[in-house]
Amino acid sequence: MITINDRGGCAGAVLRRFSRSTAMTLLCVTLAGYLALGVASSGEFFQGPSVRTFLQYLATPILIGLAQMAALCVGQLNLAVGALGGFTACLMGVLMADDGVPAPIAVAAGVLAATLAGLVTGVFIVATRINGFIVTLGTMTILVGAQYRLAGTRTIDGYSPTLRDLGRAAPLNLPLVFLTALAAAALLAAFMYRATAGRRLLAAGGNPLAARLSGISTNRQIVFAHTLSGLLVGVAAVTATASLPGVNSSVGGDWLLPSFAAPIIGGVSLNGGSVAVFGTVLAAFVMRLIDAARAQFSLDPSWVNFLIGLVVLGTVVGGRIHQTHLEKKGKAQGRTPPAPVGRGQPVDAALPNAGGAQ
């Protein structure tokens, strides 16, 4: 029987672990940055219109970060996130504006096309045994060409007013597109942390050999991870299309760096076997704050990209130094060094240590 004291002890341990996590650091940075921008703008940043605009354009960075995280959890990279998102947005715009397709059907077709593109990418990687970096690089090039074929040099802005209204809708100053991104993050967290299929993804990414010995098909998990990534990119394209005044061949062109920055800064390992949904959402929030500060103080956009890239590199290098330190410490003590999070664990044990608290 679990007593109240036992529950209190478990809750205290969880809180202590969270206080030392990456997510806690990002939460503090987010709160401090938001307050600083509010003070610098003489309170204007706290007003309803500013809050709505800020959250409205936060939805897409959250979703593309989660899409990249889905590929990273099995040790894969998806360089086609931006190209797939831009192609999907233009596809939905063309269907609505040029062909007169109703918004619900066009949106469903766009999300389905993005999901199928992810599925085909995963199948091609498994079938050819070519590194996912090369495959998604080729996919990105193909999709950029397809996007330009759809939109050309024009801006498609004659699509459904209903979709535009949904993009602008903000009950209690909370945009629906932002709530959609949070709902997607919550569903993804429940899937990764609770569902057996999510545990298998983490197990296959953390230790492919052990996963195969446990009866888990790593090839199937790679295909599934890219399919899930494509689905999330499709949802991101919907939020972008609903929020933007029009779509053109430049949509998605600046998504690649944020898609990697959010999960990596949020605490996801490049080696696979870990996810950090909350950390990814907070990292997207921090990047959106940086972008808002750029607009507030009229900073050079190149400096913003430089800063984000520097933070990403610093995070990767710091993680590598920490892992090397653990390996040396393990060898000095004459024992096997701790494996990266999620490695070498059975499927049922992968979830609690899957990096969710990071």
Side-chain angles (χ1 to χ4, degrees), residues 41 74 123 149 198 200 228-229 289 303 311 315 334:
S41 63
V74 292
V123 170
R149 178 69 177 177
R200 288 173 178 168
L228 180 60
S229 179
L289 284 173
W303 282 103
V311 171
T315 303

Side-chain angles (χ1 to χ4, degrees), residues 42-332:
S42 300
E44 183 180 353
F45 197 65
F46 297 142
Q47 296 178 4
S50 297
V51 172
R52 286 196 301 271
T53 302
F54 180 85
L55 295 179
Q56 181 180 6
Y57 292 103
L58 175 60
T60 300
I62 289 175
L63 288 166
I64 61 176
L66 295 176
Q68 194 66 252
M69 187 189 73
L72 289 174
C73 77
V74 292
Q76 293 280 309
L77 303 175
N78 188 358
L79 300 183
V81 164
L84 179 56
F87 167 77
T88 305
C90 288
L91 175 63
M92 291 186 293
V94 167
L95 288 176
M96 290 183 286
D98 296 352
D99 301 329
V101 177
I105 298 177
V107 167
V111 174
L112 179 60
T115 306
L116 288 177
L119 173 63
V120 171
T121 299
V123 170
F124 192 83
I125 291 172
V126 169
T128 62
R129 302 295 177 183
I130 299 175
N131 188 282
F133 179 91
I134 302 300
V135 173
T136 56
L137 179 63
T139 304
M140 177 184 69
T141 306
I142 293 171
L143 289 171
V144 167
Q147 181 182 1
Y148 186 81
R149 178 69 177 177
L150 284 173
T153 58
R154 62 176 175 146
T155 295
I156 305 167
D157 56 4
Y159 46 82
S160 171
T162 303
L163 187 61
R164 293 179 182 275
D165 292 339
L166 289 176
R168 290 192 295 263
L172 301 177
N173 288 326
L174 294 175
L176 286 181
V177 290
F178 173 69
L179 296 177
T180 300
L182 290 186
L187 290 174
L188 183 62
F191 172 76
M192 287 294 188
Y193 299 147
R194 299 297 179 187
T196 302
R199 294 174 183 269
R200 288 173 178 168
L201 277 176
L202 296 174
N207 193 324
L209 177 59
R212 286 195 294 270
L213 293 176
S214 300
I216 298 174
S217 172
T218 54
N219 289 340
R220 189 177 302 169
Q221 304 313 312
I222 290 174
V223 173
F224 183 66
H226 280 280
T227 304
L228 180 60
S229 179
L231 173 62
L232 290 167
V233 170
V235 178
V238 174
T239 62
T241 306
S243 302
L244 296 172
V247 294
N248 52 39
S249 58
S250 67
V251 174
D254 57 351
W255 287 13
L256 186 58
L257 176 60
S259 75
F260 277 104
I264 290 174
I265 296 173
V268 177
S269 171
L270 289 174
N271 296 323
S274 68
V275 291
V277 176
F278 187 47
T280 299
V281 172
L282 288 176
F285 206 113
V286 171
M287 289 188 296
R288 182 72 182 93
L289 284 173
I290 294 174
D291 192 52
R294 177 196 62 78
Q296 177 73 26
F297 300 108
S298 301
L299 302 176
D300 188 344
S302 61
W303 282 103
V304 176
N305 291 334
F306 173 78
L307 178 60
I308 294 176
L310 192 64
V311 171
V312 171
L313 287 176
T315 303
V316 173
V317 172
R320 182 57 184 166
I321 292 175
H322 178 66
Q323 182 61 30
T324 302
H325 173 71
L326 291 179
E327 292 175 355
K328 290 181 177 179
K329 184 178 179 181
K331 291 178 181 179

Side-chain angles (χ1 to χ4, degrees), residues 35 192 338 341:
L35 290 174
M192 287 294 188
V341 176

